[in-house]
Every structure is written in C-alpha cells, then in structure tokens.
Amino acid sequence: NITQYWINVSVTGGTADVYMKANDNLKTQGGNILILANETFSNSTINASVPASVKIPLTTSYALIGSGLTNGQLIYLKFFLSAPAAQASGTYNNSLSFKAVENGQAP
C-alpha cells in the first residue's frame, strides 16, 4: 500500500501550496479516448501509505494537493485508472502538470 510517487517540496522563506492537473483525456496513438473522469488520485502529506478510500478525479483545472508546505516536506500520490469493459485495449497517455505557488496564492 505504499506509493511509489511523491513530490519533494523545496521552499525558501515561507510556505507553499502545490497544485496538479491533467492536460486532456487519456488517448492512444490510434485515437481511442478514455475520458479523464476514469483517472483518479489520492494524496497525503503525512506518510507514503496513501489512503485509497478517497479518490479524487483528475481534471484539466489545477487541484490543490498540498497546502502550507515547508522546506523538505513531501506530497505522496497514488493514481488509479478505471476503464469500462467495452474500452478498446491499448496504451493510453496524457500529461500531468504541477505548479507550486506561495501559500494562499492562486495557481
């Protein structure tokens, strides 16, 4: 249950908020689409045992994944993918973006 994905935060002289978003639906090179609502995540700033009970859908808007973070703090992430039975098989891709801002500022 321990995640293999994390972000190490480096902050100088204050605290930071970190946001994440996806660029688009998941797509294959052949043009098959798996809608973004099927890609979810859970996060924690406490430990690497990220709870799977709360799954947050990825969107194309920035979602707060860590708030008031100090230097050296970590954000642990766990990702989930759900595909309908009729979904075409293949390698589906999209890109995730991360943005760090001063605590309390908009992304």
Side-chain angles (χ1 to χ4, degrees), residues 67-95:
S67 180
L69 304 171
T70 59
N71 192 45
Q73 199 162 358
L74 298 172
I75 302 169
Y76 300 98
L77 297 161
K78 192 177 283 188
F79 296 92
F80 307 91
L81 187 62
S82 171
Q87 186 72 40
S89 62
T91 301
Y92 289 79
N93 293 296
N94 67 358
S95 296

Side-chain angles (χ1 to χ4, degrees), residues 15-107:
T15 58
D17 295 341
V18 178
Y19 294 83
M20 177 178 67
K21 73 175 185 173
N23 69 323
D24 204 349
N25 291 315
L26 292 130
K27 299 178 182 178
T28 66
Q29 286 187 342
N32 293 318
I33 297 172
L34 179 60
I35 62 170
L36 190 54
N38 290 295
E39 187 176 6
T40 58
F41 71 95
S42 294
N43 62 305
S44 173
T45 56
I46 298 170
N47 62 53
S49 295
V50 178
S53 58
V54 178
K55 296 179 183 175
I56 304 163
L58 276 165
T59 68
T60 56
S61 298
Y62 279 110
L64 183 65
I65 61 170
S67 180
L69 304 171
T70 59
N71 192 45
Q73 199 162 358
L74 298 172
I75 302 169
Y76 300 98
L77 297 161
K78 192 177 283 188
F79 296 92
F80 307 91
L81 187 62
S82 171
Q87 186 72 40
S89 62
T91 301
Y92 289 79
N93 293 296
N94 67 358
S95 296
L96 300 180
S97 297
F98 298 88
K99 190 169 200 174
V101 298
E102 185 177 334
N103 180 249
Q105 300 297 311

